[in-house]
Amino acid sequence: MIQETQDRRLLIIREKVEAGHRLSFDDGVYLYEEVDLFALGELANLVRERKNGNFAYYNVNTHLNATNVCVYRCNFCAFRADLKSPKGYVMSDEQVVARAAEADRRGATELHIVGGLHHQLPYEWYLNVVKLVHQAYPKLHLKAYTAVEWDWFARLTGRSTRDILAEFKEAGLGSLPGGGAEIFHPEVRDQICEHKADADNWLRIHREAHELGLRSNATMLYGHIEEPRHRIDHLIRLRELQDETGGFQTFIPLAFHPDNTKLGHDRSIPKPSGLLDLKTMAVSRLMLDNFPHIKAYWVMLGIKTAQLSLSFGADDIDGTVVHEKIYHDAGSDSPQELTVAELRRLIEEAGRVPLERDTLYHEVVRENGAWRAGKALATV
Ligand code: V47
Ligand code: SF4
């Protein structure tokens, strides 16, 4: 009898997915708690192929974390350093420009810039990072600073985040990365990062960015103290904002890496299992019906799980990356860099068609050692 009721429930969800109808909060929790991985993967794959066909996207990018000194103490973070800690660093202007030069030399189309909220650096220092890189390499797309950083800049200056975003856009900001979202629900957020921008502020800042014509990404940090209901609540809050603005491009589920973190140490939380990684990918694809892309960030998932994710809802595998600190400080054993040939091979081996994209999801056309943005790719 129980089995019969469960089969019926899954059938109803399947009918909704096939008809392109929206899944509810209860559907989402049910998918996490009751549905086996393969049934989930098959459903998610349906949506993934409806939106992106057989393509799997990658990009050529580099990361820049210009400082790791941070006033906050999120207990899942192994990247941050105290002001006086020997681990702390602040890059010079020359180091910042050198990183951009290296990205340009390698043919990168994107520089992903995030970092700590330094106790003593002024607002102008963060603005200068964007200005310096944009002036030296105007073609390089700058995906810079999370909502938590924008919120910090507003606290530093007493200005509105909208005003600050507009000033950065003028200085060369191209889009916003999806970090800082963690888990929106206060039952969890208050335990893992109580001081930084709360859910309403995170969402407001992305709304403002979208209204200014900037696209952004969204993330969710899973596999620590949260429960399925917190994850579904998180996804629904993102889906509601996307209904309003349509400004999100990609959702990236981020698996918690416990090494060198307070949360990992105090509660002995292990890394999420492969099963939870793939389930989260699939449930995200199913709940976020209005997000065009779901990204399997290989640095965090590991290359093998990222490759499998391409059959569990993901259509994007992120980029070459090159300099990554946040996950490697927290125990990631992924390499620092994947070459384009390696990314393409991973994708082809998974039975997908590799396609290089730029940050705003245009096809990248490479000719005679130069690149240009080609046609726009799927955005629904
Ligand atoms: O906000 C920090 C997470 C995020 C840990 O927009 C951790 O394209 C796991 O947002 N274990 C920053 N996660 C990274 C990020 C991102 C990455 C790739 C692509 C994009 C994009 C965005 O990393 C933080 C936090 O949620 N994080 N420490 C940790 N120990
Ligand atoms: Fe600071 Fe970001 Fe780490 Fe939190 S996650 S401690 S805000 S660097």
Side-chain angles (χ1 to χ4, degrees):
M1 185 63 189
I2 293 175
Q3 187 58 45
E4 216 171 277
T5 316
Q6 286 189 345
D7 289 350
R8 181 150 172 72
R9 179 111 198 236
L10 184 56
L11 197 68
I12 294 170
I13 292 180
R14 172 177 282 280
E15 281 168 5
K16 281 196 196 177
V17 172
E18 283 173 353
H21 293 159
R22 184 155 275 190
L23 300 185
S24 66
F25 177 88
D26 289 344
D27 291 336
V29 174
Y30 178 79
L31 287 174
Y32 255 124
E33 291 182 342
E34 305 291 343
V35 177
D36 79 80
L37 180 65
F38 289 106
L40 208 48
E42 195 201 338
L43 279 182
N45 197 45
L46 212 84
V47 180
R48 181 240 188 269
E49 291 189 355
R50 191 191 292 149
K51 286 182 182 286
N52 291 288
N54 204 26
F55 291 118
Y57 309 107
Y58 65 93
N59 75 340
V60 180
N61 67 350
T62 301
H63 286 218
L64 168 67
N65 307 125
T67 180
N68 63 348
V69 176
C70 190
V71 292
Y72 291 142
R73 291 173 174 268
C74 305
N75 60 13
F76 55 80
C77 179
F79 163 74
R80 72 167 297 282
D82 287 331
L83 186 59
K84 299 214 167 120
S85 153
K87 182 190 162 204
Y89 67 83
V90 177
M91 282 184 171
S92 65
D93 289 0
E94 291 71 29
Q95 287 172 313
V96 167
V97 176
R99 177 64 55 82
E102 180 194 325
D104 184 67
R105 209 170 44 246
R106 289 166 170 263
T109 61
E110 169 189 288
L111 194 60
H112 179 154
I113 308 175
V114 289
L117 310 163
H118 193 286
H119 309 55
Q120 292 173 348
L121 289 173
Y123 167 76
E124 288 72 22
W125 182 84
Y126 292 88
L127 180 60
N128 191 46
V129 169
V130 166
K131 279 188 177 165
L132 276 174
V133 176
H134 184 65
Q135 279 162 12
Y137 299 98
K139 221 176 141 192
L140 202 54
H141 180 104
L142 306 184
K143 183 176 75 178
Y145 300 134
T146 67
V148 172
E149 289 161 300
W150 299 111
D151 176 70
W152 176 249
F153 301 157
R155 292 181 200 209
L156 275 181
T157 58
R159 289 166 57 190
S160 72
T161 41
R162 188 186 294 274
D163 193 30
I164 290 170
L165 284 164
E167 184 175 14
F168 269 80
K169 189 180 176 201
E170 191 63 31
L173 173 72
S175 64
L176 273 56
E182 325 311 358
I183 287 284
F184 289 143
H185 200 294
E187 276 173 17
V188 175
R189 200 171 187 85
D190 291 353
Q191 291 189 62
I192 62 172
C193 54
E194 59 175 330
H195 298 299
K196 70 187 192 187
D198 65 9
D200 287 347
N201 278 312
W202 192 100
L203 292 162
R204 175 184 54 75
I205 290 165
H206 280 256
R207 181 184 294 108
E208 289 171 359
H210 298 167
E211 286 167 358
L212 287 166
L214 293 161
R215 311 302 298 269
S216 73
N217 293 337
T219 58
M220 172 174 77
L221 179 67
Y222 68 90
H224 43 93
I225 57 169
E226 87 292 355
E227 295 170 19
R229 66 191 169 92
H230 299 122
R231 295 182 210 127
I232 300 299
D233 169 77
H234 189 94
L235 297 173
I236 288 179
R237 292 192 207 211
L238 290 172
R239 187 169 78 179
E240 285 171 355
L241 179 56
Q242 179 74 331
D243 277 343
E244 253 183 71
T245 65
F248 286 118
Q249 304 197 109
T250 313
F251 176 73
I252 310 131
L254 298 172
F256 175 52
H257 275 254
D259 292 4
N260 309 318
T261 71
K262 187 161 174 7
L263 194 58
H265 178 266
D266 291 359
R267 306 207 193 188
S268 308
I269 296 172
K271 264 189 196 173
S273 64
L275 191 92
L276 183 60
D277 288 337
L278 293 177
K279 268 197 160 182
T280 301
M281 201 61 70
V283 173
S284 303
R285 179 60 289 171
L286 290 166
M287 294 303 296
L288 295 175
D289 54 12
N290 52 6
F291 272 61
H293 304 288
I294 304 287
K295 189 191 282 187
Y297 182 43
W298 62 263
V299 175
M300 149 290 251
L301 284 173
I303 295 170
K304 292 179 182 177
T305 308
Q307 188 185 40
L308 288 175
S309 298
L310 297 175
S311 305
F312 285 81
D315 59 275
D316 194 304
I317 198 158
D318 200 75
T320 43
V321 179
V322 190
H323 295 275
E324 203 288 326
K325 281 197 64 60
I326 297 172
Y327 288 97
H328 288 90
D329 284 356
S332 168
D333 50 14
S334 300
Q336 276 286 350
E337 177 182 1
L338 282 183
T339 63
V340 167
E342 285 166 326
L343 285 169
R344 293 183 70 92
R345 186 188 57 76
L346 284 172
I347 292 171
E348 280 169 354
E349 208 180 73
R352 303 294 188 189
V353 179
L355 196 62
E356 184 185 346
R357 60 158 180 90
D358 67 7
T359 312
L360 301 177
Y361 285 84
H362 297 94
E363 185 172 357
V364 172
V365 182
R366 292 192 181 265
E367 280 161 349
N368 308 322
W371 67 269
R372 66 178 166 80
K375 67 173 189 312
L377 301 164
T379 53
V380 285

